[in-house]
Structure formats: structure tokens, C-alpha cells
């Protein structure tokens, strides 16, 4: 059997997911197949505009014949494959991963994570209360480690970095999913302004030589903000409104239009609250932008309103 798209015909791969027969185009991932079958597989590091990073390990599933659990976001579907998504083993794996993430980072602005934790019985508090926020982790001497006191859970929480008027880096919410690194690097922007620094628990996202953003290679396209799954990167206006308690997505409207700064025709989605543009995104399915914008499209809207 084949399926005809815009390119060459693609064969359908038939395999089994939780006892159901599923047919998906070849080269589809198990996560794609589960989504097509209406099965919700939790994932944090997967992005529909990026290559899978296999970083968060929340989407692990069982594949018959495989010694270990496999990441559904990157494992390709194969004919005759037998996949199980809801077993004691997969639930325990998700529980432990979510507990470790929840104990070390602030997941308060991560969509859906509270439901996932309740579903798999994750209890991050069992590791103890979070340790007090530390200072800027970029300023620590390489290789410097704090000795755990055994009473609190080690945490990456630290003050948010507010060094420009466009977006904020709150690395206390960062789960190191690499999505911002990939969007800034070879997969989209090719600016390479940010990357991983440090090792072990000291690993973190940082700029070259830990410079402030205005002194780095950042071109302020905001594509890293677009793909961040936890709110570690956010618009300055969104950050300010969350701090003062006025951020309310239920009161926001989203209107998609076309950017007027040049003739490329990028699609913009304007998010408006109380007659004020609070952030700008771009549809991921747009054939022009695929969710990406430049500094003008992403942040060039302040002139239409006077704060």
C-alpha cells in the first residue's frame, strides 16, 4: 500500500501499538504513530520543527525484542513492530524522570506536566524540599560543586537573567532539552550564540564566555523562545506580567496576519491581552517560516503601543 503526498509515493508501515494495528507512512516515528492513533505520549524535548534530540527521556516506550526502553520521538516505525506505551515499566520510567526534573527545576510554566505527574504518580517532593536558589551558575568556577546536605533536593534554580528588553532567560526552569541550541544552531538560525557549558549537574545553557546577550552573537530572532517547552526563555513582556500576576492566557486572543516589514510574507500570530500585544509567534505549519522569524517579525511590534 502506498500513500501519495506532494513528493514520491510513500509506503505505509503496519505495526501494533497497545494491541491496535496502526498504519503510518514509512519514516514516521512511533510518536507520530501514537499521535495518529489518538494516544497521548508525554514528551518535553520533542519539537515538530526540529530533529529529535532524545534528551528528556519522558516519551520512552517498550518495543518487543528490545532490551531497553526506546525513545518514541526518534525511533522509526518498522513493519511488524510491537509497541507498548502503558506498562508498569514505562510508567515507572516516566515517574522517575518527571520526579527528578520536578525536584531540580521549576516546572510551573511547563504545559501539561502537572497532569502527566498525576497520571504516573510522580512525587518530586519525596526527595525533600528544593534547596534555596543559588547564585548565577555561570559565575561558578569550572568543576566547583556543592556538597549536598541530605535534607534538600539539589536544584538548578537561580535568578532570571534580564539583560535586554526583548526576552528573559530563566534557567531555573531549564531542563536542557537542547531545543534552543538546535534552533540557534545548524537546524535553523546558524548563529550558534548559545550552547551547553559545564559537566554533570553543573551543565547549563550559556553564551560564549558566559557573556550577556547584548555582547554575544545573538541576533534576537527569538527562535529559541519559540521552541522552549518550559518557559525558561520568554518574552520580556510575558515575564514582567507573570511577575506582577497579570498574565492570563484565558483573556488573550491570537490573530494570524502577515508581517509587513519586508516582502518575504512571514506569518505572524499576535497574542493580545487587554488590547496590548504581549508576544508574537509564527505558525509551525507555515511553509514560509516553519515557526521561525527574524528580530523585526518577532519583536518589532512595540511601536504600535505606548507603555
Amino acid at each position: 500500500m502506498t500513500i501519495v503526498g506532494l513528493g514520491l509515493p510513500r509506503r505505509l508501515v503496519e505495526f501494533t501499538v497497545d494491541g491496535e494495528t496502526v498504519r503510518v507512512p514509512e519514516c514516521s516515528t512511533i510518536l507520530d504513530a501514537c499521535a495518529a492513533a489518538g494516544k497521548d505520549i508525554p514528551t518535553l524535548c520533542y519539537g515538530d520543527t526540529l530533529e529529535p534530540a532524545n534528551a528528556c527521556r519522558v516519551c520512552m516506550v517498550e518495543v518487543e525484542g528490545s532490551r531497553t526502553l526506546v525513545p518514541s520521538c526518534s525511533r522509526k516505525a518498522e513493519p511488524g513492530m510491537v509497541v507498548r506505551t502503558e506498562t508498569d515499566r514505562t510508567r515507572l520510567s516516566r515517574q522517575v524522570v518527571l520526579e527528578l526534573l520536578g525536584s531540580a527545576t521549576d516546572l510551573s510554566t511547563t504545559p501539561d506536566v502537572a497532569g502527566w505527574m498525576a497520571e504516573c504518580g510522580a512525587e518530586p517532593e519525596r526527595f525533600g524540599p528544593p534547596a534555596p536558589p543559588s547564585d548565577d551558575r555561570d559565575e561558578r568556577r569550572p568543576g566547583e560543586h556543592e556538597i549536598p546536605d541530605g535534607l534538600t533536593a539539589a536544584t538548578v534554580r537561580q535568578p532570571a537573567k534580564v539583560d535586554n528588553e526583548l526576552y528573559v532567560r530563566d534557567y531555573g526552569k531549564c531542563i536542557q532539552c537542547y531545543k534552543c541550541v538546535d534552533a540557534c544552531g545548524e537546524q535553523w538560525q546558524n548563529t550558534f550564540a548559545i550552547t551547553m557549558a559545564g559537566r554533570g549537574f553543573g551543565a547549563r545553557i550559556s553564551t560564549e564566555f558566559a557573556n550577556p546577550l547584548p555582547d554575544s552573537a545573538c541576533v534576537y530572532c527569538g527562535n529559541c523562545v519559540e521552541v522552549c517547552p518550559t518557559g525558561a526563555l520568554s518574552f520580556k513582556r510575558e515575564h514582567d506580567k507573570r511577575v506582577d500576576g497579570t498574565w492570563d492566557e484565558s483573556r488573550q486572543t491570537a490573530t494570524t496576519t502577515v508581517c509587513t516589514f519586508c516582502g518575504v510574507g512571514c506569518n505572524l500570530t499576535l497574542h493580545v491581552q487587554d488590547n496590548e500585544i504581549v508576544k508574537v509567534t509564527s505558525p509551525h505549519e507555515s511553509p514560509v517560516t516553519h515557526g521561525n522569524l527574524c528580530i523585526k517579525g518577532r519583536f518589532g511590534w512595540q511601536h504600535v503601543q505606548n507603555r
Side-chain angles (χ1 to χ4, degrees):
M1 183 181 297
T2 61
I3 182 170
V4 180
L6 297 178
L8 296 174
R10 298 176 65 189
R11 294 187 304 168
L12 287 180
V13 174
E14 182 175 298
F15 67 110
T16 303
V17 178
D18 293 335
E20 295 183 28
T21 300
V22 177
R23 296 180 180 88
V24 293
E26 62 181 350
C27 296
S28 298
T29 64
I30 295 175
L31 189 64
D32 294 331
C34 290
K39 297 182 181 296
D40 181 25
I41 304 295
T43 178
L44 290 169
C45 72
Y46 174 76
D48 56 358
T49 63
L50 298 167
E51 293 293 324
N54 302 333
C56 76
R57 317 306 279 185
V58 179
C59 71
M60 307 297 280
V61 297
E62 279 192 27
V63 173
E64 191 171 280
S66 176
R67 180 178 59 84
T68 61
L69 297 176
V70 301
S72 62
C73 66
S74 61
R75 180 66 178 267
K76 302 296 183 183
E78 301 172 9
M81 177 183 281
V82 177
V83 178
R84 300 181 183 89
T85 67
E86 291 294 334
T87 65
D88 292 342
R89 194 180 180 194
T90 59
R91 281 191 290 269
L92 178 60
S93 174
R94 291 172 194 158
Q95 173 189 337
V96 172
V97 170
L98 289 172
E99 285 180 340
L100 291 173
L101 288 176
S103 68
T105 59
D106 176 9
L107 300 180
S108 61
T109 55
T110 304
D112 303 320
V113 75
W116 296 340
M117 285 194 174
E119 184 178 329
C120 65
E123 299 177 353
E125 59 275 8
R126 73 185 180 93
F127 295 110
S134 63
D135 54 4
D136 189 340
R137 299 174 78 226
D138 269 333
E139 297 180 356
R140 295 182 182 177
R141 179 172 54 83
E144 181 181 359
H145 300 284
E146 297 178 356
I147 300 177
D149 59 13
L151 302 176
T152 58
T155 178
V156 300
R157 298 179 185 182
Q158 59 181 310
K161 294 176 180 287
V162 186
D163 54 15
N164 67 93
E165 288 300 314
L166 299 183
Y167 72 93
V168 173
R169 297 175 291 159
D170 188 354
Y171 288 146
K173 299 178 179 178
C174 178
I175 61 169
Q176 299 175 32
C177 66
Y178 292 83
K179 292 172 74 173
C180 61
V181 176
D182 290 337
C184 183
E186 61 183 9
Q187 292 195 35
W188 285 117
Q189 191 61 30
N190 284 287
T191 298
F192 301 97
I194 53 178
T195 188
M196 292 297 301
R199 294 289 186 272
F201 199 75
R204 63 203 180 278
I205 303 293
S206 186
T207 60
E208 66 273 23
F209 302 110
N211 284 320
L213 276 181
D215 299 331
S216 73
C218 179
V219 296
Y220 294 98
C221 64
N223 295 331
C224 56
V225 181
E226 178 73 30
V227 300
C228 180
T230 63
L233 304 174
S234 64
F235 284 80
K236 176 68 161 54
R237 191 58 182 149
E238 176 181 349
H239 175 266
D240 291 344
K241 292 181 77 66
R242 286 188 183 276
V243 169
D244 62 27
T246 59
W247 179 263
D248 187 354
E249 293 187 3
S250 66
R251 292 160 48 201
Q252 295 176 13
T253 60
T255 304
T256 299
T257 183
V258 178
C259 183
T260 60
F261 279 106
C262 73
V264 172
C266 296
N267 291 154
L268 308 180
T269 299
L270 308 179
H271 300 257
V272 178
Q273 178 180 328
D274 300 329
N275 203 33
E276 175 189 10
I277 300 173
V278 291
K279 70 176 181 179
V280 174
T281 59
S282 182
H284 289 195
E285 66 273 13
S286 169
V288 178
T289 63
H290 301 288
N292 300 293
L293 294 169
C294 71
I295 183 175
K296 293 181 179 180
R298 185 84 64 187
F299 298 106
W301 39 265
Q302 288 91 342
H303 64 283
V304 304
Q305 54 201 15
N306 183 12
R307 293 203 298 268

